[in-house]
Amino acid sequence: MIAFPEKEEPVHIDRRAFLATLGSAAVVEAMSSEARADALEHYMIAQLDKPAGPPAQPLVVRRGAGALFGGPSPSGQRPELTALATLPERPTLVDFIRFRGTPSIGNHILQSANDALKKGEPEETVLACLLHDFVLNLMKTDHGWWGAQMMEPYVSEKVSWAIRHHQALRFYPDPSVGYEYPELYVRIFGKDYVPAPYIKASYESARKHKWYMDARMITVHDLYAFEPGMKVAIDPFMDIIGRHFKQPKEGLGFDGSPVAHMWRTLNYPDNPL
């Protein structure tokens, strides 16, 4: 069994600054519990890699829903957009992580995977941690479901299942692995915080599943992946990706899979139609 530290230094955020990004008190009150939790997670991700200087080009908003397209995150923050590199003719997962993800989300998923690797998790769990939030570049709402669908043709059923269910499990504690309901949720949203019914149903279903712990460990390592200033290279994960991610020979987006359009959307985010 892998041992986890009983306590780690809590992540400190400016509560007033965070709430200010959401709008008026009435707006905050009207938000669903899921929306509030997503707003907090995106706010924390945004703190990982704040730009040091002005953007290379004037800000624009790309036509899309995810962070790569320039729209505001649930916390209200907008990424600074610059020209994107041209991907290879047959782009790989590593190409997408390097060149089609906002720095903050990329930093978060690499920190998560690094924590799993350091703590001796199985390779498929490390991969799931690396992939679990990549879809936030494309779509924020129900990112667990979107993320699982995006990765499903290329990973094991266990990995995609874990990615899908981590979204619900993060709201529910599991003392057996040292995962507690995040104190930040209590401080920000209060003791009456209640996830949406479909989130609760997803949790209850997952709790009985044989792969429950695979999804649970994503939430465990997610907690320790918000360290400002920490940079993690993708190189330590190259062999794991090679063994457990089925890279199509045609390149992601061009293999005719049911989700190829998702990868093409990230490849060509400036296409108007």
Side-chain angles (χ1 to χ4, degrees), residues 85-92 95-96 99-100 263 266-268:
T86 299
L87 293 185
E89 183 178 352
R90 298 176 180 178
T92 66
D95 292 325
F96 275 92
F99 303 117
R100 285 300 183 274
W263 298 93
L266 288 179
N267 195 341
Y268 306 118

Side-chain angles (χ1 to χ4, degrees), residues 59-73 76-82 84 102 136-138 140 269-270:
L59 291 179
V60 295
V61 176
R62 295 188 172 103
R63 301 172 184 179
L68 186 68
F69 299 85
S73 71
Q77 299 189 16
R78 292 180 181 271
E80 295 187 343
L81 305 181
T82 59
L84 295 171
T102 58
L136 290 173
N137 294 291
L138 177 67
K140 303 181 186 77
D270 293 306

Side-chain angles (χ1 to χ4, degrees), residues 190-213:
K191 295 182 179 179
D192 296 329
Y193 183 79
V194 179
Y198 78 96
I199 294 294
K200 182 179 180 181
S202 179
Y203 162 73
E204 291 176 345
S205 174
R207 194 67 180 86
K208 304 170 185 176
H209 199 277
K210 64 180 179 180
W211 291 331
Y212 161 74
M213 195 56 67

Side-chain angles (χ1 to χ4, degrees), residues 35-243:
R36 292 179 185 178
D38 281 343
L40 176 60
E41 181 165 343
H42 284 283
Y43 181 86
M44 293 169 67
I45 289 175
Q47 306 312 301
L48 292 176
D49 199 20
K50 289 185 176 180
Q57 294 183 348
L59 291 179
V60 295
V61 176
R62 295 188 172 103
R63 301 172 184 179
L68 186 68
F69 299 85
S73 71
S75 66
Q77 299 189 16
R78 292 180 181 271
E80 295 187 343
L81 305 181
T82 59
L84 295 171
T86 299
L87 293 185
E89 183 178 352
R90 298 176 180 178
T92 66
L93 173 64
V94 174
D95 292 325
F96 275 92
I97 291 176
R98 282 175 169 164
F99 303 117
R100 285 300 183 274
T102 58
S104 295
I105 292 173
N107 199 5
H108 170 66
I109 60 178
L110 285 166
Q111 284 193 29
S112 179
N114 187 57
D115 191 67
L117 187 64
K118 288 193 304 181
K119 291 174 178 174
E121 295 287 3
E123 289 189 351
E124 284 189 306
T125 300
V126 175
L127 181 67
C129 289
L130 179 66
L131 301 179
H132 79 285
D133 274 353
F134 178 76
V135 77
L136 290 173
N137 294 291
L138 177 67
M139 174 59 69
K140 303 181 186 77
T141 304
D142 275 345
H143 72 284
W145 281 269
W146 278 82
Q149 184 180 7
M150 187 179 193
M151 302 299 173
E152 207 157 21
Y154 315 108
V155 299
S156 70
E157 185 180 356
K158 180 193 294 185
V159 169
S160 63
W161 190 95
I163 292 172
R164 179 176 292 108
H165 288 87
H166 90 275
Q167 179 180 343
L169 296 189
R170 60 185 173 158
F171 297 111
Y172 300 92
D174 186 336
S176 73
V177 291
Y179 181 83
E180 299 178 359
Y181 184 88
E183 184 179 345
L184 280 173
Y185 285 9
V186 177
R187 294 208 308 264
I188 296 296
F189 306 127
K191 295 182 179 179
D192 296 329
Y193 183 79
V194 179
Y198 78 96
I199 294 294
K200 182 179 180 181
S202 179
Y203 162 73
E204 291 176 345
S205 174
R207 194 67 180 86
K208 304 170 185 176
H209 199 277
K210 64 180 179 180
W211 291 331
Y212 161 74
M213 195 56 67
D214 296 278
R216 170 56 71 192
M217 297 317 295
I218 295 179
T219 71
V220 169
H221 300 295
D222 208 27
L223 283 179
Y224 307 128
F226 296 99
E227 186 175 335
M230 180 180 180
K231 301 291 184 182
V232 178
I234 197 171
D235 302 80
F237 310 106
M238 298 292 281
D239 288 343
I240 292 175
I241 292 172
R243 285 191 287 269

